Amino acid sequence: MHTPLTTFLTRVAALLALAFALAPAHAGDTTAAAQMQRWSEASGKPVSAERGRVFFTSRHGGEWSCASCHGNPPTTSTRHARTGKTITPLAPAFNPERFTDTAKVDKWFRRNCNDVLSRECTAVEKADVLAWLLQLDAKNPPQTAKDKP
């Protein structure tokens, strides 16, 4: 039996379902700044964007640096050094979806740090890299090596 209340509730439920279905697919359980804060607190040390830049561009005794796949600066799409798979920009100002899904962030840091360092990154290393990435500004993009005279 349909009463005015059940009809109303059915319509509201249908509208809510439609609204959720049309919403952009975005995990959004965190932000890049919140991730940096999480790792900074875990490390107990203040972040350093300069330390993050040096870490990102250094090879650490192996073949690759973070920049080998993500570019330097990591503000445009690149290709993975081994697989050739397209990698979207890493810097949050150039790719707002970066660092917004905690599970993905943890997964990719674990995987990529193992590729570059043969170990997981420390909390301070993650915080420093993110501090540097957060300084990269889409309104004033840094020069790439090929842009410099």
Side-chain angles (χ1 to χ4, degrees):
M1 180 167 143
H2 292 286
T3 66
L5 180 59
T6 59
T7 301
F8 172 76
L9 291 175
T10 301
R11 287 182 180 164
V12 168
L15 286 173
L16 285 173
L18 180 62
F20 283 115
L22 296 176
H26 190 290
D29 70 339
T30 190
T31 65
Q35 293 287 333
M36 182 186 69
Q37 184 66 31
R38 172 173 72 119
W39 294 316
S40 178
E41 288 173 2
S43 74
K45 297 181 181 180
V47 298
S48 166
E50 177 57 17
R51 227 177 21 227
R53 183 194 64 76
V54 170
F55 181 88
F56 189 88
T57 57
S58 298
R59 293 187 186 259
H60 308 279
E63 274 182 62
W64 296 351
S65 68
C66 304
S68 298
C69 295
H70 291 286
N72 184 22
T75 56
T76 60
S77 291
T78 57
R79 295 207 177 267
H80 189 275
R82 183 178 347 141
T83 66
K85 180 181 173 187
T86 299
I87 300 172
T88 58
L90 189 61
F94 296 81
N95 183 353
E97 291 187 19
R98 284 293 192 174
F99 302 100
T100 60
D101 181 328
T102 301
K104 280 185 176 180
V105 170
D106 290 344
K107 169 190 163 185
W108 285 107
F109 259 118
R110 189 171 40 255
R111 185 178 290 180
N112 291 342
C113 292
N114 192 50
D115 285 347
V116 171
L117 303 167
S118 299
R119 64 169 172 81
E120 286 196 35
C121 291
T122 65
V124 74
E125 289 165 341
K126 293 174 190 178
D128 288 349
V129 167
L130 201 40
W132 176 63
L133 292 173
L134 285 166
Q135 285 189 343
L136 299 174
D137 183 1
K139 293 177 184 162
N140 298 303
Q143 289 185 331
T144 61
K146 61 184 171 195
D147 293 337
K148 294 179 183 176

